[in-house]
Amino acid sequence: MKRNKPFAFLVFILAMSLVISACSSDGEQSIDTKSKNADKINPDKLVEAPFEGWVEGLPQITAPEGFDWKEFEGVELNLISENTPPSSAIAANIDQFEDVTGIKVNIEQTDLSTVVEKVSLDFNSKSAKYHLIYADPYQILAKQSEHFLDLNQLIDEPTLPDVPGGLEDFSQAQLEATGYMGDKDEIFALPYDNPTMVLAYRKDVFEKYKDLFMEEKGYDWTPGSNMTWEQYYEVAKWITEKAKEGVITEVQYGTGHQAKQHDSLMNDFSNILAANGGDYFKKDNLGNLGSTEPGESAMDSKVALESAEFYNKLLKVAAPGSTSWDWSGVAEGFAAGNIAMIPEWHEFSAMFENEDSSNVAGKVAWTVLPKGKERRAHMFGGTGIGINKYASDEEIKAAWLFTVWSTSPQAQYMILKSEQGGSTPTRNSVYELADVKAGMEPGSPESKEMPNLLAMKPTLEAWKEENVYMRPKIPQWPQVNTYIFTELSKMLAGQQEPKETVEKITKQTNEITDR
C-alpha cells in the first residue's frame, strides 16, 4: 500500500508533541511561584512577619514589603508525619500559624511505616492528598524524591518569604542528609528534627561503685570520651554480675539495647560497625547526598564480621528484654530504673527527667558513645519536611509559608520549650541563646524547663563530621535495612553464627542492587 508521506509526518509531529508533554509533566515542574499582588511588592525591602514568639538574637521571619500574609486565607493543607515531638508541638501551637495566615493545617501523626505507605500511595496516584510530607531521608526521600517539589523555585522567588537566617543557619551535614538526593541541584526538604544516638547512664551508680571497680579492674569506669566499646562490654558485664551477687542494688543490668527485629536493631548495631571503620557499602559518602547506584555491599569485610561478633557478645550480657525492645522499649526499661547504661536517641532525655513517669529523674547523665577501632560513631536519625509537587500552585505556596514558619528559628525554639514537644532545634542560631546554653547544665532552672538540653553537649559533639554516622541514602535502603535487622535478629536468637549473618546480608544486598 502506498503511504501518504505528509499525513505520516503530521502524525509523527503530533506523537512527538504528546511525548514531550508527558515528559514535561513527569519531569521538571513549572509552577507560578509569584504572589498574587507581585506588582505591588518591593523585594528590596524586607518587613518583619506578624508571628508572635520572636526572641532577641534569632533571625526573624520576614517577607518582602507589600506581601500579604493572608494571601492564601481559606486554603486547607494536610501534613502527614511520624509521631514525633516536633509534630506534636507544631500541632499544639498551630493556631500561631493559622491566625496569621488564615491557612488551615490538618496534622496527621502515625507510625513511620504507615507514613511511608500512605505517602507512597499518594505519590503514585498524584492526587496530592498530603501537601506537606515528613520526608524521612531513608524510607521516603531516597526512593521518592521525584515526587517532591524542588524548593529552590520558592527560595529564589523574590515576592515570597525567604528562609529566615538562610540555609546556612542549618547544620550543613543535616541539610545535605535531609534535603538533597544524589546531588545539590535540587533541594526537596528543610531540616525538621535531628534525633541522634548518644549514651545515657546512671550517674548515681557510677559514682557509688567507682572505687570498687577501680580496685578490681584498675581504671576509671566513668563513661566518657575515653571509653572504648571493649571497656563498655567489660563494665556492663561487671555491673550485671555484681547485681546478681547483691553487691549493686540500684540496677539489675549493666546495659540495655533496642535490639528488636526492627529498624532500631540496625541503628543500634550501626554505632559499633561504623566505630570500627565499617559500613554497609564499599562506596564512600552514601550517607549525606545519597546515590541511586550504591555499588557492592561491604558486609563481607573482616570489620563487619568482627562487629557482628562483638555485638552478639555484648547482647549476651544485656538486659534480657533487649531483643524485644525498640527505642521506646529500652527507654521505658531504663526509666524504670533497672539498667545502668543504654545507647539511645538524645530526645528521650525529657522522658527520663519526667518525675511522673520515670524512676531515674535527676540520676541520668549523657555522654558520647564509646570508641571503636577507628573512631566513635553516632547514628543520625533526622528528617526534613517537603512539599508534594502534585499540589496546586496555590496549595504549594501556602505549604511554603508553613515550611518557612515551622523550620524557622523561632518555631524551633518554641518546639524546644513546648510541653507537648521538647525536640531539639535544627537551627544553629538557637544554640547561641543564653538560656539554651544554660539549659545544657544539669541542675539549672533552664534544664528543668527544657530537659532535652541535658543531652545536647554530647549530641553537639556527635554531630561533628568525624563523629556522626549517616546510613546509606539509597532507593533500595528499606529492603537492605530489612535484610540487616532480620539477619542480625536471627543471630541474636542463636539461629545462626555471625559469619553466616554477614554473608546473608551481603548476598541479599547485592541481589537487590544487582551486584
Side-chain angles (χ1 to χ4, degrees):
M1 184 174 69
K2 189 175 180 180
R3 301 185 62 178
N4 186 329
K5 291 185 177 178
F7 177 75
F9 178 73
L10 287 173
V11 170
F12 172 76
I13 293 297
L14 177 60
M16 289 304 296
S17 299
L18 291 173
V19 169
I20 291 171
S21 174
C23 289
S24 177
S25 65
D26 287 333
E28 181 66 25
Q29 183 183 16
S30 178
I31 63 171
D32 175 13
T33 58
K34 292 186 181 301
S35 294
K36 290 178 181 175
N37 59 341
D39 58 332
K40 299 178 181 177
I41 288 177
N42 176 13
D44 296 325
K45 183 177 180 180
L46 298 179
V47 178
E48 180 183 347
F51 293 104
E52 296 181 357
W54 176 72
V55 174
E56 183 75 30
L58 294 180
Q60 291 181 302
I61 303 173
T62 61
E65 186 180 40
F67 177 78
D68 179 9
W69 282 94
K70 292 282 190 182
E71 178 174 332
F72 305 108
E73 185 171 21
V75 173
E76 189 165 337
L77 300 175
N78 296 321
L79 162 65
I80 185 166
S81 169
E82 184 183 5
N83 287 315
T84 61
S87 290
S88 296
I90 288 289
N93 296 277
I94 195 61
D95 58 322
Q96 294 184 22
F97 175 78
E98 294 180 341
D99 289 348
V100 169
T101 64
I103 299 168
K104 173 68 176 174
V105 182
N106 304 308
I107 300 177
E108 178 180 338
Q109 294 190 74
T110 184
D111 62 274
L112 182 58
S113 298
T114 303
V115 173
V116 172
E117 181 181 354
K118 287 191 171 185
V119 168
S120 179
L121 290 171
D122 195 36
F123 280 157
N124 288 335
S125 70
K126 301 181 180 179
S127 61
K129 175 182 178 182
Y130 298 108
H131 311 95
L132 291 151
I133 312 291
Y134 183 81
D136 183 280
Y138 316 99
Q139 304 285 339
I140 297 177
L141 181 61
K143 195 172 182 178
Q144 311 265 21
S145 62
E146 73 272 20
H147 300 296
F148 284 90
L149 184 80
D150 176 12
L151 299 181
N152 282 321
Q153 297 181 69
L154 302 165
I155 293 172
D156 296 337
E157 173 52 54
T159 64
L160 290 177
D162 200 353
V163 177
L167 296 179
E168 57 270 26
D169 193 36
F170 295 105
S171 157
Q172 295 307 290
Q174 293 176 20
L175 179 63
E176 287 184 358
T178 61
Y180 298 99
M181 181 56 206
D183 56 44
K184 299 179 76 169
D185 293 342
E186 298 175 298
I187 180 168
F188 301 111
L190 296 183
Y192 185 65
D193 62 20
N194 51 19
T196 304
M197 293 190 75
V198 286
L199 182 66
Y201 68 95
R202 287 282 298 277
K203 58 186 178 184
D204 57 326
V205 172
F206 278 85
E207 289 170 359
K208 183 175 180 179
Y209 300 100
K210 179 178 179 179
D211 292 342
L212 179 59
F213 185 87
M214 175 73 84
E215 183 180 325
E216 293 192 15
K217 300 295 182 181
Y219 64 92
D220 184 353
W221 73 337
T222 308
S225 59
N226 292 322
M227 177 177 263
T228 67
W229 275 111
E230 286 293 345
Q231 290 173 330
Y232 184 89
Y233 167 78
E234 184 174 52
V235 169
K237 183 170 181 286
W238 189 87
I239 291 174
T240 301
E241 290 173 350
K242 292 299 181 187
K244 286 181 179 177
E245 294 169 4
V247 176
I248 293 178
T249 56
E250 289 81 2
V251 297
Q252 293 178 279
Y253 306 102
T255 185
H257 293 266
Q258 46 190 271
K260 178 182 179 180
Q261 186 175 327
H262 180 268
D263 179 52
S264 60
L265 173 51
M266 179 279 302
N267 286 285
D268 200 47
F269 171 71
S270 297
N271 295 319
I272 294 169
L273 174 68
N276 286 334
D279 208 334
Y280 294 107
F281 288 90
K282 294 177 181 176
K283 191 173 183 178
D284 292 332
N285 302 321
L286 291 177
N288 39 29
L289 291 179
S291 174
T292 57
E293 297 182 0
E296 292 182 70
S297 170
M299 287 300 286
D300 58 352
S301 65
K302 181 181 177 183
V303 69
L305 175 57
E306 291 174 346
S307 299
E309 290 172 340
F310 176 81
Y311 191 69
N312 198 35
K313 181 178 75 170
L314 178 62
L315 265 290
K316 291 186 187 308
V317 301
S322 294
T323 52
S324 63
W325 288 336
D326 60 7
W327 39 72
S328 296
V330 73
E332 290 169 2
F334 185 74
N338 298 324
I339 307 169
M341 303 182 289
I342 60 167
E344 181 59 291
W345 303 100
H346 79 280
E347 292 181 342
F348 278 95
S349 178
M351 173 184 174
F352 299 154
E353 297 303 323
N354 185 341
E355 295 180 353
D356 293 333
S357 57
S358 169
N359 293 328
V360 298
K363 300 176 181 177
V364 181
W366 293 83
T367 188
V368 291
L369 289 174
K371 291 185 292 188
K373 294 182 177 179
E374 295 290 331
R375 65 178 183 123
R376 64 174 51 84
H378 304 79
M379 175 62 92
F380 172 75
T383 292
I385 186 165
I387 298 175
N388 189 331
K389 80 173 189 180
Y390 305 115
S392 70
D393 289 2
E394 188 176 52
E395 290 166 340
I396 284 174
K397 285 181 276 192
W400 174 243
L401 298 192
F402 176 83
T403 303
V404 167
W405 172 74
S406 63
T407 64
S408 69
Q410 71 183 60
Q412 290 287 309
Y413 182 71
M414 175 272 290
I415 292 170
L416 172 64
K417 302 188 79 168
S418 172
E419 293 181 359
Q420 292 82 8
S423 176
T424 53
T426 59
R427 293 303 202 113
N428 296 330
S429 55
V430 179
Y431 294 104
E432 297 301 318
L433 296 176
D435 64 335
V436 173
K437 289 183 177 179
M440 299 181 198
E441 302 299 329
S444 66
E446 292 83 359
S447 72
K448 298 184 184 305
E449 183 184 8
M450 300 173 279
N452 270 335
L453 289 175
L454 288 171
M456 277 314 300
K457 281 189 174 180
T459 303
L460 291 171
E461 189 69 21
W463 286 347
K464 292 180 178 177
E465 183 179 358
E466 63 270 25
N467 295 329
V468 73
Y469 175 69
M470 294 181 177
R471 76 202 80 172
K473 194 166 68 176
I474 59 173
Q476 304 92 338
W477 182 251
Q479 295 97 320
V480 174
N481 184 28
T482 301
Y483 298 150
I484 294 167
F485 66 66
T486 299
E487 298 305 329
L488 286 173
S489 182
K490 291 178 184 176
M491 177 187 75
L492 297 179
Q495 298 173 8
Q496 61 190 26
E497 294 298 315
K499 187 173 187 299
E500 184 180 1
T501 299
V502 296
E503 287 175 349
K504 283 186 174 180
I505 294 172
T506 301
K507 183 175 184 295
Q508 292 168 337
T509 299
N510 285 336
E511 287 176 352
I512 198 72
T513 56
D514 295 322
R515 295 288 166 177

